[in-house]
Amino acid sequence: MATKVIQAIYTDDDILMNAVKSVKENKYHIEEIYTPFPVHGLDKLMGLPHTRLAITSFLYGLVGLTVAVVMMNFIMIEDWPQNIGGKPSFSYIQNMPAFVPIMFELTVFFAAHLMVITFYMRSKLWPFKKAENPDSRTTDDRFLMEVSVNEKNYQQVTELIYKSGASEIKLKEN
Amino acid sequence: MYKMSKKLQLAAIILMIVGAVGLIYSFVSTPTNVQEVEEMLAHDEHHGEEEASATQQSEMNQNHKSLSHDDESHMGEAKHDNHHSEASGHEKSHAEHVYDQLKNKPWSAIYTSSLFFFLLAVGAFTFYAIQNASQAGWSPVIFRVMEGISKYILPGGIIVFVILVLSTFQLNHLFIWMDPSVVEHDEIIRNKTGYLNDSFFLIRAAIYIIGWVLLSRVIVKNSRKQDENPSLKLHKKNFKLSAIYLVFFIVTESMMSWDWIMSIDTHWFSTLFGWYVFASMFVAGITTIALVTIYLKSRGYLEFVNNSHIHDLAKFMFGISIFWTYLWFSQFLLIWYSNIPEEAVYYIARFNDYQLPFLGMVVLNFVFPLLVLINSDFKRVNWIVVMSGIIILIGHYLNFFVMIMPGTVGESWFIGIPEISSILLILGLFIFIVFKAISSVPLLAKNNPYIEESKHFHY
């Protein structure tokens, strides 16, 4: 029965923020908010947890660094330690400065690309994915808030949202 | 309005006295003649042999040693230029060589720390000028801290200038090109005398110092006048003056680094050296701004500074630390890779005799800030910023140490009484002047058009 949501459309992000605050204060559950652009501070008001994307990126960077070190050590030092222009290939550390550009680039490469891929996977984005947009105007100039309701409280929630300055209110069955 | 506490004042004075006593002691206790050094060397001989056998274990090391030895004689004073042709004369010239190095020790110690604190103040002021010129909205609440630090430019500049003048009077051998007997026998230096000669050197130094002092004083004065003057005129004037300063600064800073630091190793040259020195002084300046800000805030004087301001300063510390490392490594990699002997001697001297400070500073200036200040939450925690700030300052002192010492005291370096006491002396003076300057005006600049934005800055 809890599969009904109220969709409220706002025309201004300030009004939206106030609405979110009042819905939160009354302890109703916000299902989702659709906005055409990032609204600064919205995540904090909704109480969303902090992203851990930066941490994954750091770890991917370490992976990239390891790949670079292991690769260069195997190729240049262990497998075939040639004398190339008098560079010392006796141990990794002796020839390390020459490998630093590679180590740096692979660290950045892994950190950047794997983080982006992680982002796509976590936010479920890929080509040919069906858009989950409840109202196409939210990509242009409207803000849409979905609040989940049940039989008992939908009346009160509707009133609350009406008072919060919504320009349209719809009850939708999921 | 901040008032410099009696305790801090006392601490600064004690630092100065202890430093001055230590410095005088180290000047007095340098050997007075070559015989003393010979005795000292004979005493240490047993020690030396052990060390030598340890270093000759690998062929690699041995090669380096002999290479650096050749360079030393090539770069060293003319007095012992002939020291490898005469086998018997070797010992004598070695003692003479060490004697010169020991004589230089207290001089280079005080020169290093004077230069470090002076350039740190200039770096902090440059940061301030950038804030003005870029119309930064976050920083006006800490302008008074930066202005206070920039007050040290005048006394610091005078100290550095006095040391340079004394060097031209042959009271020390910090710069070998100032010694006519060296230049006489050294064609490479002789070809540089068009640029490296005493009078032109001092004129240039005076131009840099006077230019920096004048522009910084005028800009700071305008900012203080603005407290009583609500019109935008002074603000616009400071915007223009800051832009002029930045142009003047980047030219003079580059030349300053050739004159005051690179010319110590007169046979060596590097094109990105100016940027490298700039990165070092800039990050040290920003770190000092952060440390002073956190100190004043902890005393309850900067209630309008929030942890977002600290966060921004810490971001700058982090970013410029990495910028410094980038330049450090770029300079090293290019010279190491091509390994042209006339350039590589610079690093061979540092790798052979200065391994710990030379590589240690990379850990302090790069690895440590990289791992600690990369975290967004850590950058808002005062004690973490203070701790990494102190480490960055130590690291950049070591950077100046490693830039200056190998050319002046060579392998006779040690961080002992002369080095530590000259740091204490200048540190005491720095604290005294900076906090006196900060206590002379209200801590919040009035009438700055960005001050309200800055008060509510939030990241």
Side-chain angles (χ1 to χ4, degrees):
Chain A
M1 195 48 239
T3 53
K4 276 186 184 168
V5 288
I6 290 184
Q7 292 184 337
I9 287 186
Y10 297 88
T11 52
D12 187 279
D13 47 344
D14 270 341
I15 304 173
L16 172 76
M17 295 280 267
N18 287 330
V20 171
K21 220 186 264 172
S22 62
V23 171
K24 272 275 161 193
E25 268 164 16
N26 289 290
K27 301 253 161 52
Y28 296 120
H29 178 66
I30 298 176
E31 199 81 352
E32 194 66 84
I33 296 180
Y34 298 87
T35 65
F37 53 78
V39 178
H40 190 77
L42 186 60
D43 51 339
K44 239 178 220 159
L45 264 188
M46 288 169 73
L48 296 182
H50 221 278
T51 173
R52 289 167 295 177
L53 212 51
I55 299 170
T56 65
S57 176
F58 185 78
L59 297 175
Y60 294 145
L62 291 182
V63 172
L65 184 64
T66 315
V67 168
V69 170
V70 170
M71 177 178 77
M72 299 312 291
N73 185 48
F74 176 72
I75 296 173
M76 303 300 290
I77 311 294
E78 282 173 9
D79 192 36
W80 199 353
Q82 286 187 105
N83 182 344
I84 302 168
K87 287 279 159 276
S89 50
F90 309 110
S91 70
Y92 188 79
I93 196 73
Q94 271 179 354
N95 212 358
M96 205 267 290
F99 304 145
V100 166
I102 298 160
M103 285 153 66
F104 171 77
E105 292 295 348
L106 278 187
T107 307
V108 174
F109 180 86
F110 272 66
H113 288 85
L114 291 183
M115 177 179 76
V116 168
I117 292 168
T118 308
F119 167 72
Y120 285 153
M121 285 165 65
R122 286 293 288 157
S123 48
K124 302 192 177 70
L125 281 175
W126 52 80
F128 312 113
K129 177 186 160 79
K130 205 174 164 293
E132 293 167 355
N133 200 350
D135 189 319
S136 61
R137 288 171 301 169
T138 60
T139 63
D140 185 12
D141 62 348
R142 293 292 145 96
F143 304 83
L144 191 149
M145 176 168 70
E146 282 185 351
V147 182
S148 54
V149 285
N150 54 31
E151 211 90 297
K152 276 180 251 155
N153 66 10
Y154 82 93
Q155 201 71 39
Q156 290 133 289
V157 176
T158 314
E159 259 167 52
L160 184 74
I161 284 172
Y162 178 74
K163 265 191 262 162
S164 71
S167 62
E168 288 171 32
I169 303 173
K170 269 185 267 179
L171 183 64
K172 252 239 169 109
E173 217 142 329
N174 269 10
Chain B
M1 189 91 175
Y2 170 70
K3 197 101 202 91
M4 187 177 179
S5 70
K6 279 269 176 304
K7 255 197 208 153
L8 191 66
Q9 221 164 329
L10 191 68
I13 290 169
I14 289 173
L15 283 177
M16 278 192 268
I17 292 172
V18 171
V21 169
L23 196 64
I24 290 167
Y25 166 76
S26 42
F27 269 110
V28 172
S29 64
T30 51
T32 46
N33 53 42
V34 182
Q35 271 76 34
E36 253 177 72
V37 178
E38 268 170 1
E39 276 166 38
M40 207 176 72
L41 289 175
H43 189 73
D44 290 343
E45 196 141 289
H46 181 63
H47 232 67
E49 265 165 29
E50 254 176 23
E51 257 171 41
S53 66
T55 48
Q56 280 169 6
Q57 268 170 356
S58 72
E59 212 178 316
M60 202 58 199
N61 256 347
Q62 209 171 4
N63 278 348
H64 272 277
K65 275 274 171 206
S66 61
L67 203 85
S68 71
H69 215 120
D70 283 350
D71 304 327
E72 256 165 40
S73 58
H74 171 64
M75 290 176 77
E77 279 100 304
K79 274 174 262 172
H80 54 94
D81 237 355
N82 49 355
H83 83 170
H84 43 190
S85 56
E86 290 173 69
S88 60
H90 184 269
E91 204 134 298
K92 172 111 178 100
S93 58
H94 178 60
E96 249 172 44
H97 190 59
V98 174
Y99 169 71
D100 281 340
Q101 293 181 339
L102 292 179
K103 271 293 200 197
N104 260 342
K105 250 188 95 169
W107 282 103
S108 11
I110 186 70
Y111 182 58
T112 307
S113 53
S114 313
L115 199 59
F116 175 67
F117 280 99
F118 171 55
L119 293 183
L120 177 157
V122 176
F125 180 74
T126 305
F127 187 71
Y128 173 67
I130 291 173
Q131 301 300 309
N132 268 334
S134 62
Q135 309 275 300
W138 66 276
S139 52
V141 293
I142 46 173
F143 271 7
R144 285 289 140 88
V145 174
M146 304 184 202
E147 290 168 6
I149 293 170
S150 69
K151 278 279 173 176
Y152 181 75
I153 294 177
L154 177 60
I158 290 172
I159 294 171
V160 170
F161 192 72
V162 166
I163 296 176
L164 295 178
V165 170
L166 294 180
S167 297
T168 60
F169 287 155
Q170 303 287 314
L171 284 173
N172 56 54
H173 296 96
L174 293 180
F175 302 90
I176 55 163
W177 57 265
M178 285 177 182
D179 190 343
S181 63
V182 174
V183 179
E184 207 180 317
H185 298 281
D186 195 321
E187 207 194 334
I188 297 174
I189 300 182
R190 211 160 49 232
N191 291 336
K192 296 184 182 184
T193 46
Y195 186 76
L196 290 178
N197 59 70
D198 289 353
S199 46
F200 189 28
F201 178 78
L202 289 182
I203 291 169
R204 282 194 313 261
I207 290 173
Y208 315 148
I209 294 172
I210 291 171
W212 298 343
V213 168
L214 274 185
L215 281 165
S216 69
R217 292 273 158 152
V218 170
I219 291 171
V220 169
K221 210 175 181 183
N222 282 341
S223 151
R224 293 190 176 170
K225 258 196 249 163
Q226 212 177 14
D227 278 4
E228 281 97 54
N229 191 346
S231 88
L232 271 182
K233 235 185 193 154
L234 286 166
H235 179 75
K236 284 181 178 163
K237 211 172 174 184
N238 261 359
F239 173 78
K240 282 177 197 152
L241 282 172
S242 299
I244 292 169
Y245 167 81
L246 288 171
V247 173
F248 175 75
F249 170 77
I250 203 60
V251 177
T252 49
E253 187 276 335
S254 185
M255 295 174 72
M256 174 279 290
S257 70
W258 310 334
D259 285 2
W260 298 353
I261 303 176
M262 199 159 80
S263 83
I264 288 173
D265 300 282
T266 318
H267 293 97
W268 180 80
F269 49 86
S270 162
T271 36
L272 62 69
F273 198 74
W275 282 105
Y276 173 64
V277 174
F278 166 69
S280 199
M281 65 197 262
F282 196 48
V283 71
I286 294 167
T287 306
T288 313
I289 294 169
L291 292 183
V292 175
T293 306
I294 291 174
Y295 171 78
L296 289 176
K297 188 167 167 56
S298 74
R299 300 274 136 174
Y301 287 105
L302 292 170
E303 69 278 359
F304 32 77
V305 169
N306 56 42
N307 57 9
S308 292
H309 295 103
I310 306 293
H311 188 152
D312 261 28
L313 284 170
K315 272 193 280 190
F316 270 107
M317 283 158 62
F318 174 68
I320 310 291
S321 283
I322 286 163
F323 177 60
W324 173 86
T325 317
Y326 166 65
L327 294 173
W328 177 86
F329 185 71
S330 300
Q331 182 170 284
F332 171 68
L333 177 71
L334 292 186
I335 291 176
W336 175 87
Y337 206 97
S338 56
N339 202 17
I340 302 170
E342 69 207 54
E343 289 177 351
V345 286
Y346 185 79
Y347 283 108
I348 288 170
R350 277 152 185 80
F351 263 102
N352 281 344
D353 301 323
Y354 289 78
Q355 204 153 35
L356 182 66
F358 183 64
L359 297 174
M361 76 182 178
V362 182
V363 176
L364 298 182
N365 290 341
F366 173 62
V367 179
F368 187 83
L370 177 77
L371 294 180
V372 173
L373 290 180
I374 199 168
N375 189 318
S376 209
D377 297 329
F378 284 2
K379 280 187 276 228
R380 296 164 169 270
V381 182
N382 282 349
W383 70 265
I384 289 180
V385 177
V386 169
M387 182 186 63
S388 25
I390 290 169
I391 289 196
I392 289 173
L393 285 182
I394 293 172
H396 284 281
Y397 172 78
L398 277 181
N399 181 32
F400 276 81
F401 187 84
V402 174
M403 284 194 289
I404 290 168
M405 291 293 171
T408 56
V409 303
E411 66 274 14
S412 307
W413 72 277
F414 188 69
I415 299 190
I417 292 174
E419 287 78 13
I420 290 171
S421 51
S422 37
I423 295 173
L424 295 183
L425 173 66
I426 305 288
L427 177 67
L429 185 70
F430 182 82
I431 291 175
F432 194 81
I433 286 167
V434 166
F435 282 92
K436 272 276 177 248
I438 292 174
S439 35
S440 66
V441 271
L443 276 170
L444 185 62
K446 248 199 285 174
N447 297 329
N448 185 309
Y450 295 100
I451 199 79
E452 278 308 313
E453 180 184 342
S454 178
K455 273 191 211 167
H456 300 109
F457 172 68
H458 187 75
Y459 168 74

